[in-house]
Amino acid sequence: MEFRKARWTTRLKRLALSVDAWIGASLYAAGHRAGDIYERIRSATDRLTVSGPKRLAAEFASEGLNVGIAGAIVMLMLAIPSFQEGREEALKNQVFAVTFLDRYGSEIGHRGARHDDSLKLEEFPDHLLKAVLATEDRRFYDHFGIDIFGTFRALTVNARASGVVQGGSSLTQQLAKNLFLNNERSLDRKIKEAFLSLWLEYRLTKNEILKLYLDRAYMGGGTFGVAAAADYYFGKSVKDVSLAEAAMLAGLFKAPSKFAPHVNLPAARARANDVLNAMVDAGFMTAGQVDSAKRNPATPIDRKRDSSPDYYLDWAFDEARKLAEDGKLGPERVLTIKTPYDPAIQKRADEAVETILRQHGPAYRAKQAAAVIMDPDGAVRAIVGGRDYGASQFNRATSSLRQPGSSFKPYVYAAAMSAGLYKPTTVVTDRPVCIGNWCPNNYGRSYAGSMPLTVALAKSINTIPVQMSIAIGKATGETHEARAARIGRTKIVETCRAMGLTTPLIDTVSLPIGAAEVTVIDQAAGYAVFANGGKRAKPYAAFDIRNSAGEEIYRHDRDEPAPAQVLSTQVAFEMNQMLSTVPTAGTGRRAALDGVVSAGKTGTTNGYKDAWYVGYTGNLVGAIWFGNDDSSETNNMTGGSLPAMTWKEIMGFAHQGIELKPIPGVTPQPGDAKTVVAKASDPAAGASAGHMSRKSFEVLSAVGTMFKSVEAPRAARASVQAGIRGAPTGLSVIR
């Protein structure tokens, strides 16, 4: 036994020695090979060693490579948001072809295939292409999407002129902006524009880029692309435009609202003359070739009386696309949509906004405004998305996020009253209240003491909504004020969501007094809940939709679910009673309508950057915003000034000659309806106002539609006869 044990021990020792020897030999061999490799590498690098000027060049190249790699990483980080903006769908042809009708059945415009991209680039006249390239991008076929020389030249010219004289954007950059971006003047947009231009150049050929640009650019008058513009301005196919007409069309790319011939023919002709000179300067044509076009400028069709509700149509088109995406329209894509659009109210809204901005905007340092008018059920009658659609197609009524100021407070009051904590007669105390180190102040930076809740809302007391948020939270059992306020704000946001606010509402301590951001159309939808007695009022743009065969494929009252009751009728009635005191005894006195009971709320944000008036009657709801695109401060403009004045101007007209409906829960005063009917029927009153009544406008619209239906067959017969004859066809201060 001992012998066997000794033998196994000996064998294990020998095995261990063998393994140790193998490991040692392997390591030695590996070290020897590594040494050989190192010597070979050193020998090779020794041959690359340089000195003197060569070494200096090598160092510069090395540092350049490092900087280049770092720059590439930074460029990639900047490019990611740009590539997120770009979508393949934006390069595809528009699928929809939509004809829009107003509430009376009259055609008001087109969207989708209206821009007519059916022509091939080869079918466009050569002189039109030369005119576009001469004015927009002479080096289009030579650059890679960004014209370095053109940009440098523009910077030099602008520096000498101490202003913007030339634009440095290439045609590809302009297309990138038209397809994916907006008109915001910011460094972020320019960076995105540059990267998207490179993406377009990579994805498309030069001719495809030029074709897209010619098809998608806004050309004024509600038209997109040169084909639609040629038909609109000259009544002919773009294939048949003369050199003078081509120059006028090419001049529209720079500023369609300024140079549109139906708006300012002398300016359009002067711009066309500049285009002709540019064609000569670029070497595309000789002075003799353009001389005839200069002596015989283009004469457009008389379109001075035409108007297009472009902001409304853009929004309605988006709503139609959403219905299609939800599968409510089936496979149909050639559509006729009857909208709730009211041409009389739209016209008065446009006039009111422009007139008040022109008269009072400079004094208040306010340059922009937006408005939405709708029925209490959500049917949108008019949209003012800005002062000038030609200058900016950005819809401030549906897309711009702005702080609502005190016009947000009714949502807070509704949430607190829905929790059963307050009544209009509840006595509240305006006193200092703080959440952490944040303490809101009132407009006058003082405290008013105890008052009924109705008075607190009418006077727009800031501390009360904050106290309400705390009270809502404490009703759940939370005793800590800051945590209770957070719970209360969560309940307030839930109420806002139920009432129709769709934008992100960031939870901050100042949310109860209007620190969140909302859109004008959401504000109108939210207040419509009060106007209709507590039901959700989702804004909509289609009464019914028909396909190309005239068959009804969608009807709002049939195919949409019944509106949900989001506030109890009792809370809605009580809110209406309180809000009806704002135009009579509160901050919205300038919005009070003669003979019509109304309710509403003003809103003014910190620094006077945004001013609101959102109000309603039993018939209509209106939300008005005034401010500046760059969020610069105005000159002490409050919601009770220009917004309230504009709201009164629009609503006063909209309620002429119609049957007045009461606001739910608010008893109209004796004689209110009589006053309105008298004003609508009094010829002297109408003459002094200088505007026809709503009823008159509707009657004339119906007559016009009738004449169109009579004239259409006559025109068709005349056309046929002509053809037979061979004729051509911190918010510390918010109010």
Side-chain angles (χ1 to χ4, degrees):
M1 192 67 178
E2 290 295 332
F3 173 75
R4 289 180 179 179
K5 186 175 181 180
R7 188 172 60 180
W8 278 106
T9 302
T10 302
R11 289 179 177 178
L12 288 174
K13 287 180 179 180
R14 290 176 179 174
L15 179 61
L17 289 172
S18 299
V19 170
D20 182 66
W22 177 80
I23 292 174
S26 299
L27 290 175
Y28 175 80
H32 184 70
R33 286 195 296 272
D36 290 343
I37 293 172
Y38 173 76
E39 288 297 329
R40 287 198 292 270
I41 292 174
R42 191 179 70 173
S43 177
T45 55
D46 285 344
R47 290 195 295 271
L48 296 176
T49 301
V50 293
S51 60
K54 291 184 178 180
R55 176 162 185 167
L56 183 62
E59 291 291 340
F60 274 115
S62 176
E63 291 301 321
L65 180 62
N66 292 334
V67 173
I69 293 173
I73 294 173
V74 173
M75 295 286 279
L76 179 61
M77 294 172 63
L78 293 173
I80 290 174
S82 305
F83 294 147
Q84 291 174 344
E85 297 281 349
R87 295 291 185 270
E88 292 288 342
E89 291 77 5
L91 301 180
K92 299 176 182 177
N93 293 335
Q94 294 284 349
V95 178
F96 274 14
V98 185
T99 299
F100 290 99
L101 311 177
D102 65 17
R103 65 191 302 109
Y104 310 114
S106 300
E107 185 177 308
I108 57 173
H110 303 264
R111 282 295 183 269
R114 167 68 180 244
H115 59 236
D116 188 6
D117 54 4
S118 59
L119 296 178
K120 297 180 180 179
L121 186 65
E122 295 77 16
E123 297 180 81
F124 285 83
D126 183 63
H127 51 258
L128 174 62
L129 299 180
K130 290 178 178 178
V132 173
L133 293 176
T135 55
E136 299 301 308
D137 192 349
R138 299 180 187 180
R139 292 171 41 80
F140 172 67
Y141 284 99
D142 298 324
H143 61 66
F144 55 89
I146 301 173
D147 187 359
I148 303 298
F149 297 104
T151 302
F152 181 76
R153 182 185 66 250
L155 290 174
T156 303
V157 173
N158 293 337
R160 290 175 179 173
S162 300
V164 179
V165 177
Q166 287 188 7
S169 295
S170 67
L171 188 147
T172 311
Q173 288 176 280
Q174 295 178 56
L175 176 62
K177 182 186 72 173
N178 292 339
L179 289 178
F180 308 111
L181 306 172
N182 54 41
N183 289 324
E184 175 191 7
R185 291 190 175 185
S186 66
L187 179 61
D188 179 64
R189 197 215 77 187
K190 294 299 291 184
I191 292 174
K192 290 181 179 179
E193 183 182 284
F195 281 109
L196 288 169
S197 300
L198 299 178
W199 183 79
L200 286 171
E201 292 278 346
Y202 172 75
R203 294 287 302 167
L204 305 173
T205 66
K206 285 288 187 178
N207 285 346
E208 287 173 334
I209 292 173
L210 179 58
K211 177 65 166 55
L212 271 175
Y213 182 75
L214 294 173
D215 287 340
R216 301 298 179 88
Y218 180 66
M219 305 291 284
T223 62
F224 290 82
V226 292
D231 179 67
Y232 180 77
Y233 292 119
F234 304 115
K236 61 173 67 174
S237 169
V238 69
K239 295 186 290 185
D240 301 324
V241 296
S242 65
L243 175 58
E245 292 166 343
M248 190 171 285
L249 289 174
L252 292 172
F253 288 100
K254 181 178 181 180
S257 62
K258 181 179 179 181
F259 299 120
H262 70 305
V263 175
N264 191 337
L265 183 56
R269 285 177 169 170
R271 174 62 179 162
N273 200 58
D274 292 339
V275 173
L276 294 171
N277 291 332
M279 295 175 72
V280 175
D281 293 340
F284 294 157
M285 283 192 170
T286 65
Q289 288 175 308
V290 303
D291 184 62
S292 177
K294 287 184 177 181
R295 287 187 286 104
N296 300 284
T299 301
I301 296 173
D302 185 9
R303 296 282 189 182
K304 291 183 179 179
R305 295 184 179 181
D306 290 2
S307 61
S308 177
D310 293 307
Y311 287 117
Y312 189 101
L313 294 178
D314 286 350
W315 172 76
F317 184 66
D318 288 340
E319 292 300 302
R321 293 178 67 90
K322 292 176 184 177
L323 290 175
E325 291 169 359
D326 292 341
K328 296 181 179 180
L329 305 182
E332 302 291 346
R333 292 298 180 268
V334 179
L335 311 170
T336 299
I337 300 179
K338 185 176 183 180
T339 70
Y341 174 78
D342 190 316
I345 295 179
Q346 180 70 59
K347 184 173 184 295
R348 190 54 172 259
D350 288 332
E351 291 175 349
V353 165
E354 181 59 30
T355 299
I356 289 178
L357 275 173
R358 188 183 300 116
Q359 292 178 351
H360 305 287
Y364 281 101
R365 293 201 301 270
K367 299 178 181 178
Q368 275 294 353
V372 172
I373 309 298
M374 67 169 58
D375 291 337
D377 72 337
V380 178
R381 293 204 181 199
I383 292 177
V384 180
R387 296 183 71 174
D388 188 345
Y389 185 83
S392 171
Q393 292 87 59
F394 179 64
N395 196 330
R396 295 157 188 81
T398 61
S399 302
S400 181
L401 292 174
R402 293 286 179 168
Q403 290 184 339
S406 291
S407 63
F408 187 83
K409 291 174 183 174
Y411 305 118
V412 181
Y413 277 62
M417 294 173 70
S418 295
L421 303 176
Y422 295 87
K423 292 285 184 182
T425 55
T426 301
V427 176
V428 293
T429 302
D430 179 23
R431 57 176 175 77
V433 59
C434 296
I435 300 177
N437 59 359
W438 178 78
C439 306
N441 294 319
N442 291 315
Y443 181 75
R445 298 186 179 276
S446 61
Y447 300 98
S450 298
M451 67 194 77
L453 192 66
T454 298
V455 175
L457 183 58
K459 291 187 175 181
S460 200
I461 304 298
N462 279 337
T463 63
I464 303 305
V466 180
Q467 294 181 47
M468 284 179 164
S469 67
I470 297 172
I472 294 172
K474 286 187 174 181
T476 65
E478 178 61 60
T479 57
H480 189 276
E481 279 206 349
R483 288 194 291 269
R486 187 179 300 110
I487 295 172
R489 293 193 299 272
T490 300
K491 297 291 185 182
I492 292 168
V493 171
E494 291 174 359
T495 300
C496 292
R497 290 278 174 263
M499 293 180 67
L501 299 192
T502 60
T503 56
L505 300 175
I506 300 174
D507 183 6
T508 62
V509 291
S510 54
L511 179 139
I513 57 174
E517 292 182 326
V518 298
T519 62
V520 178
I521 196 168
D522 275 4
Q523 284 275 74
Y527 277 63
V529 174
F530 301 131
N532 66 36
K535 293 183 175 63
R536 173 75 181 267
K538 183 180 179 181
Y540 65 91
F543 282 144
D544 63 66
I545 301 178
R546 297 178 182 273
N547 61 16
S548 57
E551 300 167 339
E552 186 179 72
I553 59 175
Y554 171 87
R555 198 170 75 229
H556 182 270
D557 59 358
R558 180 193 65 199
D559 299 323
E560 294 295 333
Q565 189 80 30
V566 295
L567 292 181
S568 70
T569 54
Q570 182 64 30
V571 169
F573 289 177
E574 292 174 345
M575 285 298 304
N576 290 338
Q577 292 164 12
M578 292 193 295
L579 288 170
S580 66
T581 65
V582 174
T584 58
T587 57
R589 289 182 177 87
R590 291 184 181 179
L593 300 174
D594 296 332
V596 183
V597 177
S598 67
K601 187 71 188 73
T602 58
T604 310
T605 61
N606 190 42
Y608 300 97
K609 295 179 181 179
D610 302 284
W612 296 76
Y613 187 81
V614 190
Y616 54 95
T617 66
N619 297 79
L620 293 169
V621 184
I624 313 292
W625 166 85
F626 275 73
N628 294 308
D629 283 341
D630 59 1
S631 295
S632 58
E633 296 182 0
T634 65
N635 185 21
N636 297 336
M637 181 176 63
T638 65
S641 58
L642 303 192
M645 292 162 59
T646 305
W647 190 91
K648 179 178 181 178
E649 181 71 14
I650 299 170
M651 288 297 205
F653 170 80
H655 285 79
Q656 289 183 11
I658 65 173
E659 179 184 353
L660 296 179
K661 298 177 182 178
I663 297 175
V666 179
T667 304
Q669 297 297 319
D672 284 341
K674 294 179 181 178
T675 304
V676 175
V677 173
K679 283 180 174 283
S681 60
D682 183 3
S688 64
H691 298 276
M692 69 176 68
S693 69
R694 287 276 327 287
K695 196 67 176 177
S696 300
F697 189 96
E698 294 171 11
V699 171
L700 289 179
S701 296
V703 172
T705 304
M706 179 183 69
F707 275 116
K708 287 180 181 178
S709 65
V710 172
E711 289 297 328
R714 293 180 181 174
R717 289 196 297 272
S719 177
V720 171
Q721 292 170 0
I724 293 174
R725 292 193 298 268
T729 63
L731 293 173
S732 59
V733 181
I734 303 177
R735 189 175 185 180

